[in-house]
Amino acid sequence: DAGVIQSPRHEVTEMGQEVTLRCKPISGHNSLFWYRQTMMRGLELLIYFNNNVPIDDSGMPEDRFSAKMPNASFSTLKIQPSEPRDSAVYFCASRRTGANVLTFGAGSRLTVL
Amino acid sequence: AQKITQTQPGMFVQEKEAVTLDCTYDTSDPSYGLFWYKQPSSGEMIFLIYQGSYDQQNATEGRYSLNFQKARKSANLVISASQLGDSAMYFCAPSRGAQKLVFGQGTRLTINP
């Protein structure tokens, strides 16, 4: 079991650039979650998917953020255009239906200059 | 929206002492269970323990146990015989069926030698 795999682990970009964060959930897990963590706001749930379908995107901060899950083994979180206030650690997590554990990836640390 | 309160932003404890970290939530839904996660300085989110809403006994996992009081809507984490490696941020998250985890602001625990 390779765990939840996120890439890149670190990204530094300039304001206005497009950022794409990637996530591979654990095989067999059918729910996927994207979180953002900052000092000011703590851990925020941005969006989650069940069986590749977005269920709740109420945490997505604005239209610059979008997330997709084209298949059961891959999801992306895209920010376009990026802004300095988007600087944060972005976590992806996955869960198998009925299981009482949510497994997190190692996170992607984004810095927007 | 679900409100989660972790009233202790920071705690300092001597090694080998027991620690209780507080967590309260404000839902009237009796089906809510509760998760606790640990985040060490390295940044990963580590699952510690889960208490199901209808579990008759408080959950235990090694040195971790939950003091779950549904009527008071609280689920405090107890760490027995604390160790230096327990120094970390601790987050609680109530959830119905683990569908949507919304985390509290966390408690930073420091274990002193």
Side-chain angles (χ1 to χ4, degrees):
Chain A
D1 182 357
V4 177
I5 299 173
Q6 291 188 246
S7 64
R9 291 295 311 278
H10 302 275
E11 171 115 4
V12 180
T13 190
E14 292 187 347
M15 183 174 63
Q17 296 297 308
E18 178 179 292
V19 174
T20 299
L21 307 178
R22 298 172 177 80
C23 176
K24 176 179 169 57
I26 293 174
S27 178
H29 284 197
N30 56 340
S31 294
L32 184 140
F33 302 73
W34 282 101
Y35 288 89
R36 176 173 71 175
Q37 186 176 34
T38 61
M39 289 293 293
M40 292 298 295
R41 301 176 68 89
L43 263 168
E44 303 173 274
L45 176 63
L46 300 178
I47 185 171
Y48 78 97
F49 297 82
N50 276 352
N51 297 316
N52 313 338
V53 177
I55 302 300
D56 186 342
D57 65 355
S58 59
M60 296 285 264
E62 47 196 278
D63 292 345
R64 297 185 297 107
F65 286 70
S66 62
K68 294 182 179 180
M69 192 165 187
N71 56 62
S73 59
F74 184 66
S75 177
T76 59
L77 178 67
K78 187 173 293 187
I79 308 171
Q80 168 64 20
S82 57
E83 297 181 4
R85 59 193 169 118
D86 302 331
S87 297
V89 178
Y90 291 81
F91 286 100
C92 175
S94 71
R95 180 185 71 90
R96 179 175 50 82
T97 299
N100 293 322
V101 178
L102 184 67
T103 304
F104 282 76
S108 294
R109 181 176 295 277
L110 173 65
T111 302
V112 184
L113 302 175
Chain B
Q2 174 73 262
K3 183 178 179 183
I4 305 102
T5 303
Q6 294 185 249
T7 57
Q8 309 143 309
M11 286 190 69
F12 295 85
V13 174
Q14 287 299 118
E15 190 179 8
K16 300 181 183 177
E17 291 184 352
V19 181
T20 298
L21 305 181
D22 297 337
C23 175
T24 59
Y25 52 98
D26 71 348
T27 180
S28 58
D29 186 334
S31 66
Y32 268 79
L34 195 119
F35 290 81
W36 276 92
Y37 279 79
K38 171 185 179 180
Q39 187 178 40
S41 57
S42 51
E44 70 268 32
M45 292 289 288
I46 301 168
F47 168 76
L48 292 180
I49 195 167
Y50 171 78
Q51 176 86 39
S53 58
Y54 299 111
D55 291 347
Q56 293 297 313
Q57 295 191 344
N58 286 331
T60 61
E61 289 284 350
R63 294 185 300 111
Y64 304 109
S65 62
L66 270 176
N67 181 7
F68 194 40
Q69 299 182 42
K70 285 181 70 173
R72 295 181 58 194
K73 301 178 186 177
S74 76
N76 300 333
L77 176 70
V78 180
I79 307 174
S80 63
S82 58
Q83 303 171 356
L84 296 179
D86 294 332
S87 295
M89 285 290 290
Y90 289 81
F91 295 94
C92 68
S95 177
R96 184 172 57 217
Q99 187 70 328
K100 178 176 176 176
L101 264 68
V102 177
F103 289 87
Q105 286 295 100
T107 294
R108 180 173 299 280
L109 175 64
T110 302
I111 307 298
N112 295 317

